[in-house]
Amino acid sequence: MIPRHAELADPIHFRSELASSRVLSLIANHFTSAQRAWGSLPLPSRVLGLRSELSVLVDSDAVDDSMDVSVLCAAALANAVDAALAAPKAMAKKSEQLLAFAQAVCESATGSAEAHEHLPDLTFLCERALHRLPSKDDAVRARCTGLLGAVISAFVRLGEDVPEETIERFQMALAPRLVDKSPAVRVEAIGAAEDLQDTEGVEDCGVISQLMYAAMHDASPLCRAAAVSALAVSRYTLPSIICRVRDTDAKVRTAALKVLKDKVDVRLMTDLERVVALRSGLTPRCPLTYAAASHMLCAGWLKSLGFSPINLLKLMDAGNNETVCELAIRAILAAPKTGALKKLSAAQKKAYDAAVSKPVELGDLAVESALLLRVKCEAIKEDDKLSESARAEQLENLIPDTPVICEAIQKHLGLHVASVRDANSSSSEEAGDSDDSFTVLQLLKLARLADFSDEAGRNQCLALLHNMLCSAITPDELVEACLRALGVAHRTETEYLERVHDVLNEVSDYDAEDEEMDANDAAFRQLRIVSVVGVVLEHTRRNLTDERIAQLQEQILPAIMSSDDLVREAGITCLGKYAMLGLEAAQEYKAVLLAAAANAEERTEIRAQALLAMSDLAMLYEGMLDDTECMDMMTEETTQVSLPGILTSLVDDGSGGMVVIAAEISAKLLTMGKIDSAAVLAKLLMVYFDPKFASSVSTSDGEDVSSGEVAASALRQLEADAEDATEVGSPIRLQQMLSLFFPAFCTIGQDRRDIMAASARQVLELHSKNWVAGKRGAKGGKKAAPKVADKPNMDKVLTFIANVGDVHGLVASEICFYIVEEHDQMDVTLTRDVVKCLSALVVETLDEAEVVRDMMDDVELVLEEKGSNKTTMNNLDRFRKRVEAYIAKKEQEKVAAEAKAQRQAEREAAKGVAAIELTDENEAEGAAVAAGEATAEKAGRAGGRRAARGKPLVESNV
């Protein structure tokens, strides 16, 4: 049990009158009863009870009148805190109870009208907490930090009564606790620091900087979540909070979303911040995060906007963020089913229903209303819980007739054309901004859900779509939507393909050699042709045996020879899709695609499309990785080119996103077993662990990526999160893919784990050569050697290889071989990291352990000759001892197993002898029994003869 009267330690001294037996008895009885009745009486009531009893005691003249209630209560609190902090671990629950009581006293002090009377309480508690704060015991530090947080909260709420020196003293006391080794202490310190933030000078406040750093970089998810919750919200700290919505731990993500709901006004956020928060939160991969994001969206943001989805979409720039806005609309529509509205009142739910179910009129259509209508209809179409009749009825109420949709498309397309013409005739760059193109896109998607049973409406729609595809005023981004609506409007795919050929013939009906033809018009026609063909090839269910599909190659080939970069890029993309429809086409156009990919003078986008096309072909058909004779378009010289060779060259010396694309394709080929190179895998590992890789492939060459400021780092992270990670060439996408690739690669089979183990030596060789991916720091045609801080940590890389592939023994032998053979290439840092990794490896088999043991003498000799430091030699000695202990253990197990087998054989032999003896005994016993039976039978016959002669059967022996 916790002691009732703990000795009061310095620097606090109480007056001698406190020794009154009645005062101490009252204090002791109060805490004893509080412990017994814990949970039955609220903490504030206990605080008031103690103060009331002490007041009665003072009024009764039982103690000196100079003693006031505040001092007596402070004495009680001091006794309680000392008892709690001195309690053993077995009494941890009682300690927490007393500390909670002390914190409740702090809270009652701030809520009292006579706040000045409670300053002695806070002063005594503050001194107690500060006195024990540097304790070596993690639990004591955590308790003291929590108590200090309660005191700080009470002091800060007293306002002007708190001296500036006191605040500085609190900050100095908490600074080391914010980086304490114990996560529990850091959590308490973060909570204590919440009230010490300077909301007026956020950029110069050290506490805010520490909390931002903890939110971004603390190793403990609990600490990151606490820091996010404690941060004062401002324009300066908001990026750090939003970035945590992408945290690896669900607790941190939900904490960040709760802050955005409760403390942040959505109208004061930027488009970028809203988009990142919703894109990261509304992910179906984590139900907990999705639920928190839906609650933030519906019960927070939408509620502050009068539950109007249109108002929300206006804040999110729907025209440029269609995907995220669609996620938000679907979450709003599903809110009654997901429980996102459960904390709203009945009136608020009614307002939600009215706002969400408000009909959309096509006569006054805007970007937001068009998107909302389209997503509503698609959600109903995809709802498998609705009956066919209910689904048809709801769609009929929402989707206008086909002629009405066609008229709306024509109207907004005309508005778009007028806007473009105004832009061409105006010197203002913003004069051409128009949302009508986006509105037309939504209407075209809506048309795919329309009822085409009316023949007149269907024909009107077909004619409109045909004209749009043939018209130069139709934006390229509408081509796919037009073709997909065209496919739905036709009854069969044959009719659809015939219509497509009619469109292509109409667009291509021009004389390419006509000198009077505008170059832009010719480029438009070629671009429109390959755009249409590309969409058809992507969505068709037919192959090259269909004559209509085979004829499409005639439309593609002129585009890849065009002088216009956009046309050539679209042509290469389209050619790749065509080649995927059959082996013959893949073999025919393989050289064309490889030549485009290998051409260093070609545009990056075109090379990227050629590479992606070749990677798809390599997945489908054999022989796509073989060397192929290609002709250089510039020099007309022929060379042997292969896809693996191009990928290796790009990973080594590529620029920008080409490095990312080459690395991604290499990972795919390794996964599918198309290539089995440990050298390629090693380069992917170096890319994955390269701390500067993401910034090195940035297209912003002038960006300063060396800033260490927390706020600047958070802002850059926010901008990176805003990037669409699904785009090919994105460093974020590559990092995400590699994090899944390495474990999956090793689970395929033992041959893949062997490749992973062999990559350890390749990684060491790359590190020794200062290899980095892509053109980084190139000067005079040569890449500059990276700084030590910018190179991957070999300890982490090698440990990752050993763990992810479960190949500790193979990695250990590779490291030993490398140290012995390449020690001249190893610097001090690499030697230290490699041996450190070696010391942590655990050899799995006896054969591997014996190989490593046999090399230990050579490794030790090499390290001694290099003059390795004591730490490195100790790590090597530790590893040697562990290997020898493992071998000894296995040998003992082998000897024990042989002895056991010997004993088992002896027991089996003994059992065999015993069985033989038992058989002999049984045979002898059987013979005796048989003899006895024969004698008895003979005696029986003799007795029968005597009876027949009248003689007695039994004769006396006497």
Side-chain angles (χ1 to χ4, degrees), residues 585-624:
Q587 293 173 339
E588 181 178 358
Y589 296 113
K590 170 186 172 184
V592 177
L593 294 172
L594 284 176
N599 187 1
E601 303 298 326
E602 185 60 273
R603 285 190 63 197
T604 299
E605 294 80 1
I606 298 175
R607 298 183 69 190
Q609 292 300 330
L611 277 176
L612 293 172
M614 281 303 306
S615 69
D616 292 336
L617 294 178
M619 300 293 180
L620 292 175
Y621 307 116
E622 296 295 334
M624 293 296 109

mmCIF file of all heavy atoms in Angstrom, residues 585-624:
data_model
loop_
_atom_site.group_PDB
_atom_site.id
_atom_site.type_symbol
_atom_site.label_atom_id
_atom_site.label_comp_id
_atom_site.label_asym_id
_atom_site.label_seq_id
_atom_site.Cartn_x
_atom_site.Cartn_y
_atom_site.Cartn_z
ATOM 1 N N ALA A 585 2.846 -9.109 -84.909
ATOM 2 C CA ALA A 585 2.973 -7.656 -84.851
ATOM 3 C C ALA A 585 4.080 -7.246 -83.886
ATOM 4 O O ALA A 585 4.826 -6.286 -84.140
ATOM 5 C CB ALA A 585 1.643 -7.027 -84.427
ATOM 6 N N ALA A 586 4.211 -7.977 -82.762
ATOM 7 C CA ALA A 586 5.268 -7.664 -81.798
ATOM 8 C C ALA A 586 6.650 -7.858 -82.416
ATOM 9 O O ALA A 586 7.557 -7.024 -82.225
ATOM 10 C CB ALA A 586 5.115 -8.542 -80.559
ATOM 11 N N GLN A 587 6.826 -8.945 -83.151
ATOM 12 C CA GLN A 587 8.118 -9.184 -83.791
ATOM 13 C C GLN A 587 8.388 -8.183 -84.910
ATOM 14 O O GLN A 587 9.538 -7.776 -85.130
ATOM 15 C CB GLN A 587 8.143 -10.608 -84.354
ATOM 16 C CG GLN A 587 8.115 -11.687 -83.271
ATOM 17 C CD GLN A 587 7.970 -13.079 -83.840
ATOM 18 O OE1 GLN A 587 7.502 -13.256 -84.976
ATOM 19 N NE2 GLN A 587 8.359 -14.082 -83.061
ATOM 20 N N GLU A 588 7.330 -7.745 -85.594
ATOM 21 C CA GLU A 588 7.508 -6.824 -86.723
ATOM 22 C C GLU A 588 7.939 -5.440 -86.252
ATOM 23 O O GLU A 588 8.793 -4.801 -86.881
ATOM 24 C CB GLU A 588 6.200 -6.724 -87.504
ATOM 25 C CG GLU A 588 6.282 -5.810 -88.717
ATOM 26 C CD GLU A 588 4.971 -5.774 -89.489
ATOM 27 O OE1 GLU A 588 4.017 -6.497 -89.079
ATOM 28 O OE2 GLU A 588 4.899 -5.017 -90.483
ATOM 29 N N TYR A 589 7.376 -4.974 -85.156
ATOM 30 C CA TYR A 589 7.626 -3.594 -84.720
ATOM 31 C C TYR A 589 8.544 -3.499 -83.497
ATOM 32 O O TYR A 589 8.728 -2.410 -82.952
ATOM 33 C CB TYR A 589 6.298 -2.899 -84.421
ATOM 34 C CG TYR A 589 5.425 -2.761 -85.643
ATOM 35 C CD1 TYR A 589 4.232 -3.448 -85.743
ATOM 36 C CD2 TYR A 589 5.832 -1.955 -86.704
ATOM 37 C CE1 TYR A 589 3.425 -3.334 -86.863
ATOM 38 C CE2 TYR A 589 5.037 -1.836 -87.838
ATOM 39 C CZ TYR A 589 3.840 -2.535 -87.915
ATOM 40 O OH TYR A 589 3.065 -2.418 -89.045
ATOM 41 N N LYS A 590 9.136 -4.623 -83.111
ATOM 42 C CA LYS A 590 10.065 -4.612 -81.981
ATOM 43 C C LYS A 590 11.257 -3.695 -82.248
ATOM 44 O O LYS A 590 11.657 -2.889 -81.391
ATOM 45 C CB LYS A 590 10.544 -6.051 -81.717
ATOM 46 C CG LYS A 590 11.677 -6.172 -80.733
ATOM 47 C CD LYS A 590 12.162 -7.622 -80.670
ATOM 48 C CE LYS A 590 13.414 -7.751 -79.836
ATOM 49 N NZ LYS A 590 13.948 -9.133 -79.845
ATOM 50 N N ALA A 591 11.820 -3.772 -83.444
ATOM 51 C CA ALA A 591 12.997 -2.956 -83.771
ATOM 52 C C ALA A 591 12.660 -1.463 -83.756
ATOM 53 O O ALA A 591 13.472 -0.634 -83.334
ATOM 54 C CB ALA A 591 13.551 -3.360 -85.133
ATOM 55 N N VAL A 592 11.458 -1.112 -84.212
ATOM 56 C CA VAL A 592 11.061 0.301 -84.229
ATOM 57 C C VAL A 592 10.984 0.848 -82.808
ATOM 58 O O VAL A 592 11.471 1.944 -82.511
ATOM 59 C CB VAL A 592 9.711 0.466 -84.952
ATOM 60 C CG1 VAL A 592 9.257 1.924 -84.904
ATOM 61 C CG2 VAL A 592 9.804 -0.023 -86.386
ATOM 62 N N LEU A 593 10.376 0.086 -81.910
ATOM 63 C CA LEU A 593 10.222 0.531 -80.526
ATOM 64 C C LEU A 593 11.567 0.609 -79.812
ATOM 65 O O LEU A 593 11.832 1.554 -79.062
ATOM 66 C CB LEU A 593 9.276 -0.414 -79.782
ATOM 67 C CG LEU A 593 7.816 -0.410 -80.273
ATOM 68 C CD1 LEU A 593 7.024 -1.516 -79.603
ATOM 69 C CD2 LEU A 593 7.166 0.940 -80.010
ATOM 70 N N LEU A 594 12.443 -0.379 -80.050
ATOM 71 C CA LEU A 594 13.758 -0.358 -79.408
ATOM 72 C C LEU A 594 14.606 0.803 -79.916
ATOM 73 O O LEU A 594 15.349 1.442 -79.147
ATOM 74 C CB LEU A 594 14.487 -1.683 -79.660
ATOM 75 C CG LEU A 594 14.008 -2.893 -78.844
ATOM 76 C CD1 LEU A 594 14.752 -4.149 -79.278
ATOM 77 C CD2 LEU A 594 14.212 -2.649 -77.353
ATOM 78 N N ALA A 595 14.503 1.090 -81.215
ATOM 79 C CA ALA A 595 15.266 2.207 -81.769
ATOM 80 C C ALA A 595 14.825 3.530 -81.136
ATOM 81 O O ALA A 595 15.654 4.387 -80.821
ATOM 82 C CB ALA A 595 15.088 2.256 -83.285
ATOM 83 N N ALA A 596 13.520 3.690 -80.935
ATOM 84 C CA ALA A 596 13.020 4.913 -80.295
ATOM 85 C C ALA A 596 13.476 5.001 -78.847
ATOM 86 O O ALA A 596 13.838 6.077 -78.358
ATOM 87 C CB ALA A 596 11.497 4.966 -80.384
ATOM 88 N N ALA A 597 13.482 3.872 -78.152
ATOM 89 C CA ALA A 597 13.885 3.867 -76.745
ATOM 90 C C ALA A 597 15.375 4.133 -76.580
ATOM 91 O O ALA A 597 15.801 4.744 -75.593
ATOM 92 C CB ALA A 597 13.506 2.536 -76.098
ATOM 93 N N ALA A 598 16.179 3.669 -77.515
ATOM 94 C CA ALA A 598 17.631 3.803 -77.395
ATOM 95 C C ALA A 598 18.157 5.126 -77.927
ATOM 96 O O ALA A 598 19.322 5.470 -77.687
ATOM 97 C CB ALA A 598 18.320 2.649 -78.126
ATOM 98 N N ASN A 599 17.335 5.882 -78.627
ATOM 99 C CA ASN A 599 17.783 7.124 -79.246
ATOM 100 C C ASN A 599 17.938 8.218 -78.196
ATOM 101 O O ASN A 599 16.957 8.765 -77.677
ATOM 102 C CB ASN A 599 16.775 7.561 -80.312
ATOM 103 C CG ASN A 599 17.261 8.758 -81.103
ATOM 104 O OD1 ASN A 599 18.372 9.269 -80.889
ATOM 105 N ND2 ASN A 599 16.433 9.216 -82.027
ATOM 106 N N ALA A 600 19.166 8.542 -77.852
ATOM 107 C CA ALA A 600 19.429 9.551 -76.818
ATOM 108 C C ALA A 600 19.013 10.941 -77.249
ATOM 109 O O ALA A 600 18.824 11.822 -76.402
ATOM 110 C CB ALA A 600 20.909 9.539 -76.446
ATOM 111 N N GLU A 601 18.863 11.170 -78.574
ATOM 112 C CA GLU A 601 18.469 12.489 -79.068
ATOM 113 C C GLU A 601 16.960 12.665 -79.093
ATOM 114 O O GLU A 601 16.472 13.772 -79.327
ATOM 115 C CB GLU A 601 19.031 12.698 -80.485
ATOM 116 C CG GLU A 601 20.538 12.565 -80.586
ATOM 117 C CD GLU A 601 21.246 13.607 -79.736
ATOM 118 O OE1 GLU A 601 20.724 14.740 -79.619
ATOM 119 O OE2 GLU A 601 22.320 13.293 -79.196
ATOM 120 N N GLU A 602 16.236 11.581 -78.832
ATOM 121 C CA GLU A 602 14.773 11.649 -78.869
ATOM 122 C C GLU A 602 14.235 12.279 -77.587
ATOM 123 O O GLU A 602 14.908 12.289 -76.549
ATOM 124 C CB GLU A 602 14.205 10.229 -79.058
ATOM 125 C CG GLU A 602 12.700 10.150 -79.233
ATOM 126 C CD GLU A 602 12.214 10.919 -80.442
ATOM 127 O OE1 GLU A 602 11.964 12.142 -80.269
ATOM 128 O OE2 GLU A 602 12.087 10.331 -81.531
ATOM 129 N N ARG A 603 13.023 12.809 -77.673
ATOM 130 C CA ARG A 603 12.390 13.405 -76.500
ATOM 131 C C ARG A 603 12.177 12.347 -75.413
ATOM 132 O O ARG A 603 11.918 11.168 -75.689
ATOM 133 C CB ARG A 603 11.035 14.015 -76.862
ATOM 134 C CG ARG A 603 11.128 15.321 -77.618
ATOM 135 C CD ARG A 603 9.763 15.960 -77.718
ATOM 136 N NE ARG A 603 9.249 16.305 -76.399
ATOM 137 C CZ ARG A 603 7.964 16.571 -76.152
ATOM 138 N NH1 ARG A 603 7.074 16.475 -77.117
ATOM 139 N NH2 ARG A 603 7.576 16.906 -74.941
ATOM 140 N N THR A 604 12.265 12.782 -74.167
ATOM 141 C CA THR A 604 12.129 11.860 -73.037
ATOM 142 C C THR A 604 10.774 11.167 -73.037
ATOM 143 O O THR A 604 10.675 9.965 -72.783
ATOM 144 C CB THR A 604 12.324 12.628 -71.721
ATOM 145 O OG1 THR A 604 13.627 13.194 -71.694
ATOM 146 C CG2 THR A 604 12.153 11.710 -70.529
ATOM 147 N N GLU A 605 9.711 11.909 -73.340
ATOM 148 C CA GLU A 605 8.368 11.320 -73.322
ATOM 149 C C GLU A 605 8.225 10.208 -74.354
ATOM 150 O O GLU A 605 7.585 9.179 -74.096
ATOM 151 C CB GLU A 605 7.313 12.403 -73.572
ATOM 152 C CG GLU A 605 7.192 13.446 -72.478
ATOM 153 C CD GLU A 605 8.254 14.521 -72.560
ATOM 154 O OE1 GLU A 605 9.091 14.463 -73.488
ATOM 155 O OE2 GLU A 605 8.252 15.423 -71.705
ATOM 156 N N ILE A 606 8.846 10.388 -75.523
ATOM 157 C CA ILE A 606 8.749 9.379 -76.575
ATOM 158 C C ILE A 606 9.543 8.133 -76.189
ATOM 159 O O ILE A 606 9.075 6.999 -76.373
ATOM 160 C CB ILE A 606 9.242 9.963 -77.910
ATOM 161 C CG1 ILE A 606 8.343 11.140 -78.313
ATOM 162 C CG2 ILE A 606 9.281 8.898 -78.994
ATOM 163 C CD1 ILE A 606 8.804 11.865 -79.561
ATOM 164 N N ARG A 607 10.730 8.333 -75.656
ATOM 165 C CA ARG A 607 11.531 7.184 -75.209
ATOM 166 C C ARG A 607 10.813 6.416 -74.099
ATOM 167 O O ARG A 607 10.842 5.178 -74.061
ATOM 168 C CB ARG A 607 12.890 7.657 -74.706
ATOM 169 C CG ARG A 607 13.752 8.352 -75.743
ATOM 170 C CD ARG A 607 15.104 8.727 -75.166
ATOM 171 N NE ARG A 607 15.921 7.560 -74.907
ATOM 172 C CZ ARG A 607 17.069 7.561 -74.238
ATOM 173 N NH1 ARG A 607 17.508 8.720 -73.735
ATOM 174 N NH2 ARG A 607 17.768 6.462 -74.053
ATOM 175 N N ALA A 608 10.171 7.148 -73.215
ATOM 176 C CA ALA A 608 9.451 6.506 -72.115
ATOM 177 C C ALA A 608 8.310 5.641 -72.641
ATOM 178 O O ALA A 608 8.118 4.501 -72.192
ATOM 179 C CB ALA A 608 8.922 7.560 -71.143
ATOM 180 N N GLN A 609 7.549 6.160 -73.606
ATOM 181 C CA GLN A 609 6.447 5.376 -74.169
ATOM 182 C C GLN A 609 6.960 4.128 -74.887
ATOM 183 O O GLN A 609 6.355 3.057 -74.812
ATOM 184 C CB GLN A 609 5.633 6.249 -75.134
ATOM 185 C CG GLN A 609 4.864 7.370 -74.464
ATOM 186 C CD GLN A 609 3.851 6.871 -73.446
ATOM 187 O OE1 GLN A 609 3.306 5.763 -73.573
ATOM 188 N NE2 GLN A 609 3.589 7.669 -72.427
ATOM 189 N N ALA A 610 8.081 4.260 -75.583
ATOM 190 C CA ALA A 610 8.659 3.093 -76.258
ATOM 191 C C ALA A 610 9.120 2.043 -75.249
ATOM 192 O O ALA A 610 8.922 0.829 -75.451
ATOM 193 C CB ALA A 610 9.827 3.536 -77.136
ATOM 194 N N LEU A 611 9.735 2.479 -74.159
ATOM 195 C CA LEU A 611 10.160 1.547 -73.117
ATOM 196 C C LEU A 611 8.973 0.823 -72.491
ATOM 197 O O LEU A 611 9.013 -0.400 -72.267
ATOM 198 C CB LEU A 611 10.941 2.296 -72.034
ATOM 199 C CG LEU A 611 12.420 2.562 -72.279
ATOM 200 C CD1 LEU A 611 12.994 3.387 -71.145
ATOM 201 C CD2 LEU A 611 13.181 1.249 -72.410
ATOM 202 N N LEU A 612 7.930 1.559 -72.172
ATOM 203 C CA LEU A 612 6.752 0.943 -71.563
ATOM 204 C C LEU A 612 6.108 -0.061 -72.510
ATOM 205 O O LEU A 612 5.654 -1.131 -72.081
ATOM 206 C CB LEU A 612 5.750 2.028 -71.172
ATOM 207 C CG LEU A 612 6.193 2.982 -70.053
ATOM 208 C CD1 LEU A 612 5.203 4.117 -69.882
ATOM 209 C CD2 LEU A 612 6.342 2.213 -68.743
ATOM 210 N N ALA A 613 6.074 0.279 -73.795
ATOM 211 C CA ALA A 613 5.517 -0.654 -74.774
ATOM 212 C C ALA A 613 6.351 -1.930 -74.846
ATOM 213 O O ALA A 613 5.813 -3.050 -74.881
ATOM 214 C CB ALA A 613 5.442 0.018 -76.139
ATOM 215 N N MET A 614 7.676 -1.800 -74.853
ATOM 216 C CA MET A 614 8.539 -2.978 -74.915
ATOM 217 C C MET A 614 8.425 -3.831 -73.644
ATOM 218 O O MET A 614 8.493 -5.059 -73.706
ATOM 219 C CB MET A 614 9.994 -2.550 -75.116
ATOM 220 C CG MET A 614 10.340 -2.178 -76.546
ATOM 221 S SD MET A 614 9.991 -3.504 -77.729
ATOM 222 C CE MET A 614 10.892 -4.884 -77.018
ATOM 223 N N SER A 615 8.251 -3.197 -72.504
ATOM 224 C CA SER A 615 8.110 -3.979 -71.267
ATOM 225 C C SER A 615 6.819 -4.798 -71.297
ATOM 226 O O SER A 615 6.791 -5.946 -70.855
ATOM 227 C CB SER A 615 8.125 -3.053 -70.054
ATOM 228 O OG SER A 615 6.959 -2.258 -70.002
ATOM 229 N N ASP A 616 5.744 -4.213 -71.833
ATOM 230 C CA ASP A 616 4.492 -4.969 -71.958
ATOM 231 C C ASP A 616 4.656 -6.151 -72.912
ATOM 232 O O ASP A 616 4.155 -7.255 -72.658
ATOM 233 C CB ASP A 616 3.374 -4.046 -72.452
ATOM 234 C CG ASP A 616 2.994 -2.994 -71.416
ATOM 235 O OD1 ASP A 616 3.227 -3.241 -70.211
ATOM 236 O OD2 ASP A 616 2.474 -1.934 -71.803
ATOM 237 N N LEU A 617 5.353 -5.915 -74.024
ATOM 238 C CA LEU A 617 5.576 -7.008 -74.970
ATOM 239 C C LEU A 617 6.441 -8.106 -74.359
ATOM 240 O O LEU A 617 6.226 -9.305 -74.620
ATOM 241 C CB LEU A 617 6.240 -6.462 -76.238
ATOM 242 C CG LEU A 617 5.395 -5.490 -77.078
ATOM 243 C CD1 LEU A 617 6.200 -4.997 -78.271
ATOM 244 C CD2 LEU A 617 4.101 -6.145 -77.540
ATOM 245 N N ALA A 618 7.432 -7.720 -73.551
ATOM 246 C CA ALA A 618 8.303 -8.717 -72.917
ATOM 247 C C ALA A 618 7.523 -9.590 -71.943
ATOM 248 O O ALA A 618 7.864 -10.762 -71.743
ATOM 249 C CB ALA A 618 9.446 -8.010 -72.191
ATOM 250 N N MET A 619 6.496 -9.037 -71.326
ATOM 251 C CA MET A 619 5.660 -9.831 -70.421
ATOM 252 C C MET A 619 4.792 -10.829 -71.183
ATOM 253 O O MET A 619 4.474 -11.903 -70.684
ATOM 254 C CB MET A 619 4.747 -8.905 -69.603
ATOM 255 C CG MET A 619 5.471 -7.898 -68.752
ATOM 256 S SD MET A 619 6.413 -8.633 -67.416
ATOM 257 C CE MET A 619 7.088 -7.135 -66.671
ATOM 258 N N LEU A 620 4.423 -10.481 -72.423
ATOM 259 C CA LEU A 620 3.481 -11.314 -73.177
ATOM 260 C C LEU A 620 4.158 -12.360 -74.047
ATOM 261 O O LEU A 620 3.679 -13.490 -74.157
ATOM 262 C CB LEU A 620 2.605 -10.416 -74.065
ATOM 263 C CG LEU A 620 1.618 -9.492 -73.349
ATOM 264 C CD1 LEU A 620 0.927 -8.585 -74.349
ATOM 265 C CD2 LEU A 620 0.590 -10.308 -72.581
ATOM 266 N N TYR A 621 5.275 -11.999 -74.660
ATOM 267 C CA TYR A 621 5.858 -12.864 -75.687
ATOM 268 C C TYR A 621 7.323 -13.152 -75.398
ATOM 269 O O TYR A 621 8.037 -12.319 -74.835
ATOM 270 C CB TYR A 621 5.731 -12.205 -77.077
ATOM 271 C CG TYR A 621 4.325 -11.786 -77.429
ATOM 272 C CD1 TYR A 621 4.007 -10.447 -77.611
ATOM 273 C CD2 TYR A 621 3.314 -12.726 -77.579
ATOM 274 C CE1 TYR A 621 2.721 -10.043 -77.935
ATOM 275 C CE2 TYR A 621 2.018 -12.347 -77.904
ATOM 276 C CZ TYR A 621 1.731 -11.002 -78.067
ATOM 277 O OH TYR A 621 0.447 -10.619 -78.379
ATOM 278 N N GLU A 622 7.772 -14.342 -75.829
ATOM 279 C CA GLU A 622 9.177 -14.734 -75.706
ATOM 280 C C GLU A 622 9.990 -14.070 -76.828
ATOM 281 O O GLU A 622 9.482 -13.765 -77.897
ATOM 282 C CB GLU A 622 9.311 -16.256 -75.805
ATOM 283 C CG GLU A 622 8.633 -17.011 -74.681
ATOM 284 C CD GLU A 622 9.277 -16.742 -73.324
ATOM 285 O OE1 GLU A 622 10.481 -16.409 -73.305
ATOM 286 O OE2 GLU A 622 8.579 -16.843 -72.300
ATOM 287 N N GLY A 623 11.264 -13.863 -76.515
ATOM 288 C CA GLY A 623 12.168 -13.325 -77.519
ATOM 289 C C GLY A 623 12.215 -11.812 -77.567
ATOM 290 O O GLY A 623 12.982 -11.242 -78.365
ATOM 291 N N MET A 624 11.444 -11.143 -76.725
ATOM 292 C CA MET A 624 11.431 -9.684 -76.761
ATOM 293 C C MET A 624 12.669 -9.072 -76.100
ATOM 294 O O MET A 624 12.948 -7.889 -76.281
ATOM 295 C CB MET A 624 10.175 -9.150 -76.069
ATOM 296 C CG MET A 624 8.876 -9.460 -76.793
ATOM 297 S SD MET A 624 8.749 -8.669 -78.425
ATOM 298 C CE MET A 624 8.917 -10.096 -79.494
#
